Amino acid sequence: MSHEPDGARGHDGPYAGGAASAGYRVWAVAGLPEVRPGDDLAKLIAAAEPGLVDGDVLLVTSKIVSKAEGRMLEASDREAAIDAETVRVVARRGALRIVENRQGLVMAAAGVDASNTPAGTVLLLPEDPDGSARAIREGLRDALGVTVGVLITDTFGRPWRAGLTDVAIGAAGVHVLDDLRGGTDAHGNPLGATVVATADELAAAGDLVKGKAAGLPVAVVRGLPGLVTADDDHGDGARALVRDSRDDMFRLGTSEAIRQAVTRRRTVRAFTDEPVDPGSVRRAVAAAVTAPAPHHTTPWRFVLLESPESRIRLLDAMREAWIADLRRDGKTEESIAQRIRRGDVLRNAPCLVVPCLVMDGSHTYGDARRDAAEREMFVVATGAGVQNFLVALAGERLGSAWVSSTMFCRDVVREVLDLPADWDPMGAVAVGHPAEAPRPRPEREAGAFIEVR
């Protein structure tokens, strides 16, 4: 198969001779035998395709690499094999799992494959795909005296796109990324974010001729020698194609993101001076008000104290009320001072939020028991809103601490903040960027909190 592009693409790329190519050819290699553990893939490929020349790129399906490297596993339970290869679950829906595997790749089922392998066995991905690519490249140089590039390929699905395509999971001697940033397009516009995944483009081209069921696991691309590195340079490898977690905006699936946010939600008592983005807090409030509530009501109100003046004015008034209460309780001045210091978490936070309960829409029964239950319903709904708020803050990578202090001096809070008389402050939430990573805490076994009837 040959492919002639409609127009030449030219630029000064990162590889030698980054000029446009007039065209390239890609074809599948015929005549390869069934690969078995211990086989030398470079020798098998050299025998099947002895006419390789400098600058060719070999596209080798990962399955035959796994077979040659003995990565076949007897496994009646494929799920157990997936578990063993999984580092992190990214998303789960029913039996389908998208995971990060031990090679750092995010893919379905950790790359564990039960196709094209004998019944009762599964194939695992190569242990070190970049290393596998280097070994094949060096073997072809020894066998044929040529300098080629080698890509190990596997089939991936992609977020937001239907269908599968081959991508590079291992590479040697190939410029896997073509960074065009700093250049210009045909109209002279600056390119500020264009980094082309050249290795994946090559892998997809190879998949067109190899097919999924044709028994043709190797393809050759000829006519793009500028993509191949010098003989003594294996390049960065396909690992360079894996997006760093710091830059990954879509690191988790929906349910996993929620679970991680819940797990990450910890009480933070020390904050940095970094300002809090008001938009982050408002997005957390938007999540808070999705909580369930009785009678189709909206019992939540969130008072945001974003200026230091408003926080200090409230906290000073609350401290005076607290000291008065403690003195009435007979506490010593030393004990009072210690308790006041423990409450400084609110004072040290760059943002303070006071969630309030309103009883609009509540029912009055004229019966103490039922009226008390009615209020409890609204209290539970407000608590659910506060929990949503705290989890959403964690999702925004903000630390928080809920404290109950405003509940003990509601009149003071209402007066200082000029709140309606029917707004009941339900604690306060300190918000900011954590000054340190949270300490590990022991796992809580869910069974300890469950009773089944």
Side-chain angles (χ1 to χ4, degrees):
M1 171 184 176
S2 66
H3 172 79
E4 298 291 338
D6 293 333
R9 182 180 70 176
H11 59 82
D12 292 328
Y15 43 82
S21 171
Y24 64 88
R25 294 180 57 231
V26 54
W27 69 92
V29 175
L32 283 165
E34 178 67 24
V35 175
R36 304 184 185 281
D39 281 350
D40 187 326
L41 285 180
K43 289 183 178 179
L44 294 180
I45 294 170
E49 193 67 47
L52 292 174
V53 300
D54 289 346
D56 285 348
V57 179
L58 275 292
L59 310 168
V60 183
T61 303
S62 65
K63 286 185 179 63
I64 65 169
V65 179
S66 295
K67 289 178 179 179
E69 295 179 355
R71 294 282 285 165
M72 185 182 299
L73 182 69
E74 292 186 8
S76 57
D77 184 1
R78 180 171 177 251
E79 295 303 308
I82 296 171
D83 288 341
E85 293 295 301
T86 295
V87 172
R88 177 177 61 89
V89 174
V90 175
R92 184 192 304 265
R93 180 172 294 169
L96 176 62
R97 280 183 283 172
I98 307 297
V99 305
E100 179 184 345
N101 65 14
R102 293 191 293 111
Q103 290 83 358
L105 302 169
V106 175
M107 60 193 308
V112 176
D113 198 341
S115 63
N116 295 307
T117 184
T121 65
V122 295
L123 281 175
L124 311 181
L125 289 180
E127 189 77 37
D128 176 10
D130 284 336
S132 302
R134 289 193 295 271
I136 294 172
R137 186 188 196 215
E138 291 169 352
L140 289 170
R141 180 185 59 202
D142 294 342
L144 300 176
V146 294
T147 299
V148 297
V150 176
L151 297 178
I152 309 299
T153 69
D154 199 72
T155 303
F156 272 45
R158 297 146 303 146
W160 309 295
R161 302 288 288 180
L164 304 171
T165 186
D166 266 22
V167 303
I169 66 169
V174 177
H175 292 285
V176 296
L177 292 168
D178 190 1
D179 191 346
L180 305 180
R181 291 173 296 182
T184 58
D185 64 16
H187 298 281
N189 299 309
L191 298 173
T194 304
V195 181
V196 178
T198 309
D200 286 348
E201 292 182 326
L202 291 168
D207 188 43
L208 290 173
V209 295
K210 288 188 295 180
K212 298 299 183 190
L216 299 169
V218 178
V220 180
V221 173
R222 178 171 294 170
L224 299 173
L227 298 179
V228 178
T229 64
D231 185 63
D232 58 351
D233 177 12
H234 288 310
D236 294 331
R239 183 71 190 188
L241 292 160
V242 178
R243 192 183 300 276
D244 186 271
S245 62
R246 294 170 299 180
D247 300 324
D248 188 352
M249 295 178 65
F250 310 101
R251 187 165 172 77
L252 298 172
T254 303
S255 59
E256 285 66 33
I258 293 171
R259 280 196 288 271
Q260 182 161 317
V262 171
T263 302
R264 192 165 58 223
R265 192 217 65 74
R266 303 286 293 277
T267 296
V268 175
R269 300 190 179 279
F271 302 94
T272 69
D273 295 331
E274 183 180 352
V276 171
D277 173 21
S280 297
V281 179
R282 284 158 176 77
R283 287 191 293 272
V285 171
V289 299
T290 65
H295 313 316
H296 305 289
T297 59
T298 55
W300 322 275
R301 302 292 185 272
F302 291 84
V303 184
L304 311 184
L305 282 67
E306 296 177 334
S307 70
E309 295 77 17
S310 63
R311 294 193 298 273
I312 292 171
R313 185 168 63 253
L314 173 64
L315 295 175
D316 284 349
M318 288 173 57
R319 180 165 58 183
E320 293 304 316
W322 192 12
I323 290 173
D325 283 345
L326 292 173
R327 284 173 176 164
R328 279 193 295 271
D329 293 339
K331 302 297 183 182
T332 65
E333 294 302 314
E334 181 180 358
S335 174
I336 291 172
Q338 289 176 345
R339 290 168 183 263
I340 293 298
R341 283 196 296 272
R342 285 202 298 270
D344 280 346
V345 60
L346 298 180
R347 192 172 294 273
N348 296 332
C351 179
L352 189 63
V353 179
V354 179
C356 295
L357 161 68
V358 298
M359 295 286 290
D360 292 347
S362 63
H363 296 174
T364 300
Y365 300 96
D367 175 273
R369 176 181 59 83
R370 297 170 72 193
D371 286 343
E374 181 78 4
R375 177 173 174 79
E376 287 173 355
M377 288 196 305
F378 278 74
V379 170
V380 169
T382 303
V386 171
Q387 173 69 355
N388 279 9
F389 181 65
L390 298 176
V391 171
L393 288 173
E396 296 278 351
R397 298 191 178 275
L398 290 170
S400 64
W402 177 85
V403 296
S404 60
S405 55
T406 66
M407 301 170 68
F408 291 88
C409 54
R410 284 177 170 146
D411 288 342
V412 171
V413 176
R414 281 191 286 259
E415 180 180 355
V416 172
L417 297 182
D418 192 24
L419 302 179
D422 60 347
W423 286 29
D424 281 344
M426 302 295 286
V429 180
V431 182
H433 295 274
E436 58 187 20
R439 297 176 183 175
R441 65 180 173 192
E443 293 287 334
R444 291 173 179 168
E445 173 54 47
F449 304 91
I450 296 173
E451 292 291 336
V452 179
R453 298 290 186 266

